[in-house]
Amino acid sequence: MQAFSITTKKQIQMIDITREVKKVVAEAGVRQGLCTVFVPHTTAGVTINENADPDVQRDMLMEMSTIVPLEDGYKHMEGNSAAHLKSTLFGCSTNVIVADGQLCLGTWQSVFFCEFDGPRERSVWVQVTGL
């Protein structure tokens, strides 16, 4: 398992971490297997989605803020209940197949770290397992 850090700059944002994940896969030397990307935070998430048009990320975050508004009568005293809900909806991990030592992502796909309670210093854990 390897970890890397991300410094987020906004309260809510998506950051393409594909390059960092690919580096971990290359260093692992696994030719065939599975790559798990895990975010050890309760107010952040990880997802795979389109990398070609930044409006996709903008639209996703905009719609998530409509579905889960920042203020909605939440009881959690820290004031970040919306971030906890968004984290649960996106999920804290994703898996990508590794074939011939490469991540098997579609043409327009990238792995994104999703910040919902920033800005903060965050961690991403990556485990590459051979088959």
Side-chain angles (χ1 to χ4, degrees):
M1 195 267 304
Q2 288 192 32
F4 59 88
S5 296
I6 297 174
T7 301
T8 62
K9 306 224 183 304
K10 299 177 183 176
Q11 182 180 22
I12 299 171
Q13 72 180 116
M14 292 174 70
I15 300 170
D16 188 339
I17 59 170
T18 308
R19 183 179 318 169
E20 293 88 345
V21 175
K22 284 181 175 181
K23 182 180 176 200
V24 173
V25 170
E27 290 172 0
V30 171
R31 301 293 302 153
Q32 309 294 326
L34 191 64
C35 175
T36 300
V37 181
F38 177 78
V39 176
H41 305 287
T42 61
T43 57
V46 65
T47 193
I48 296 173
N49 214 294
E50 182 178 327
N51 62 18
D53 181 357
D55 283 339
V56 172
Q57 291 100 58
R58 185 196 66 79
D59 291 348
M60 289 176 65
L61 294 175
M62 179 186 70
E63 196 60 31
M64 282 303 291
S65 292
T66 300
I67 296 167
V68 182
L70 188 59
E71 296 293 330
D72 199 27
Y74 306 119
K75 301 292 185 198
H76 182 46
M77 72 174 83
E78 282 186 53
N80 61 355
S81 285
H84 289 290
L85 290 163
K86 290 171 186 175
S87 172
T88 296
L89 291 171
F90 271 73
C92 63
S93 68
T94 193
N95 292 304
V96 183
I97 295 167
V98 175
D100 296 324
Q102 303 292 316
L103 289 177
C104 291
L105 291 169
T107 302
W108 307 114
Q109 287 183 318
S110 281
V111 181
F112 289 93
F113 176 86
C114 305
E115 175 64 80
F116 301 119
D117 194 28
R120 292 177 181 247
E121 182 77 16
R122 298 293 201 164
S123 297
V124 177
W125 298 350
V126 181
Q127 175 72 49
V128 184
T129 308
L131 297 179

